[in-house]
């Protein structure tokens, strides 16, 4: 059975990925940006009844 022994390059890559994960986790902790999508900024004006209909 072969035993895997990490090389210094593996250590560098592992540390790089850990740092990347730390940065991503910090970004995910931030609140969602306000994009105005789905926000009601004012009420819809009521529809006018047709005086001739009826």
């Amino acid at each position: 059975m072969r035993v895997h022994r990490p090389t210094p390059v593996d250590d560098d890559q592992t540390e790089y990925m850990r740092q990347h994960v730390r940065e991503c986790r910090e970004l995910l902790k931030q609140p969602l940006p306000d994009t105005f999508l789905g926000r009601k900024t004012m009420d819809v004006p009521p529809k006018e009844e047709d005086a001739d209909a009826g």
Side-chain angles (χ1 to χ4, degrees):
M1 184 163 109
R2 293 176 63 181
V3 176
H4 175 71
R5 300 205 193 298
T7 63
V9 172
D10 292 335
D11 291 339
D12 293 342
Q13 182 67 25
T14 302
E15 183 54 37
Y16 172 78
M17 291 306 297
R18 286 182 177 154
Q19 182 61 33
H20 190 68
V21 169
R22 282 185 211 108
E23 292 171 5
C24 291
R25 289 182 62 150
E26 288 300 316
L27 284 175
L28 289 171
K29 287 180 185 178
Q30 295 179 4
L32 293 175
D34 186 11
T35 60
F36 299 101
L37 296 175
R39 186 193 315 169
K40 287 177 78 174
T41 56
M42 64 166 66
D43 291 330
V44 178
K47 292 184 179 182
E48 295 182 15
E49 297 291 328
D50 284 338
D52 297 335

